[in-house]
Amino acid sequence: MDETDWLLLAQLQADARLSFSELSRRVHMSPPAVAERVRRLEESGVLTGYRAQVDPARVGWSVVAFIQMSCYGPRCVLRAPEVAEWPEIREIHRVTGAACSLLKIAAASMDAFEALIDRLAPFGQPTSTMVLSTPLAWSPITSPDAPVAP
């Protein structure tokens, strides 16, 4: 990864819908050179996809929470691929500590949240933390060598 790759990533993270023409203008390269670099970033797995960011609350998923699962063994959520397909499950992370996994969820209501907890219970002990607000929902990945703001 060189400085140009990081410039491309910064631009694409800010707006993944940029055309190669506009992207080339912003990074001062030709469109074919930009297209080749983006293709290499995709093929190497640095760029893993392009997607729209959706506000869950504005589309009816107003309850957001993190659920820690303590569920070691054969009935662990990490060994249950169907859990990842439940519409409420937004992220699943394998973690260290007392819990084995951390799930980020969105539910349509508190009743739906309670039903989700009941569906998770056979996999182990769920412990939830409700999200009150999200001051930082996302931030771009930058070079590990980038200077840190004071």
Side-chain angles (χ1 to χ4, degrees):
M1 296 274 308
D2 63 14
E3 187 176 330
T4 302
D5 289 333
W6 284 109
L7 288 170
L8 288 167
L9 289 177
Q11 294 298 317
L12 288 170
Q13 287 179 94
D15 184 357
R17 296 179 61 185
L18 290 174
S19 67
F20 286 140
S21 176
E22 177 60 20
L23 194 52
S24 68
R25 187 186 68 71
R26 292 182 183 194
V27 299
H28 310 292
M29 294 176 67
S30 70
V34 164
E36 175 61 22
R37 283 208 179 229
V38 170
R39 184 190 60 74
R40 276 191 279 138
L41 290 168
E42 291 168 343
E43 287 177 353
S44 68
V46 172
L47 279 172
T48 59
Y50 303 86
R51 59 186 61 90
Q53 291 180 300
V54 177
D55 181 335
R58 292 188 184 262
V59 294
W61 298 87
S62 58
V63 176
V64 177
F66 289 94
I67 301 173
Q68 289 184 3
M69 293 295 299
S70 297
C71 55
Y72 302 95
R75 284 292 295 161
C76 180
V77 294
L78 297 172
R79 292 188 177 90
E82 70 273 13
V83 173
E85 297 174 12
W86 297 354
E88 301 90 348
I89 306 297
R90 308 309 318 142
E91 299 173 9
I92 300 175
H93 304 274
R94 184 176 184 186
V95 298
T96 62
C100 70
S101 58
L102 180 66
L103 287 62
K104 182 177 181 182
I105 67 92
S109 66
M110 286 304 291
D111 287 340
F113 176 73
E114 185 176 358
L116 175 62
I117 293 292
D118 290 344
R119 286 195 342 235
L120 286 169
F123 294 98
Q125 179 66 44
T127 303
S128 62
T129 302
M130 304 303 295
V131 173
L132 300 177
S133 67
T134 305
L136 178 64
W138 176 87
S139 67
I141 301 293
T142 60
S143 168
D145 300 324
V148 177

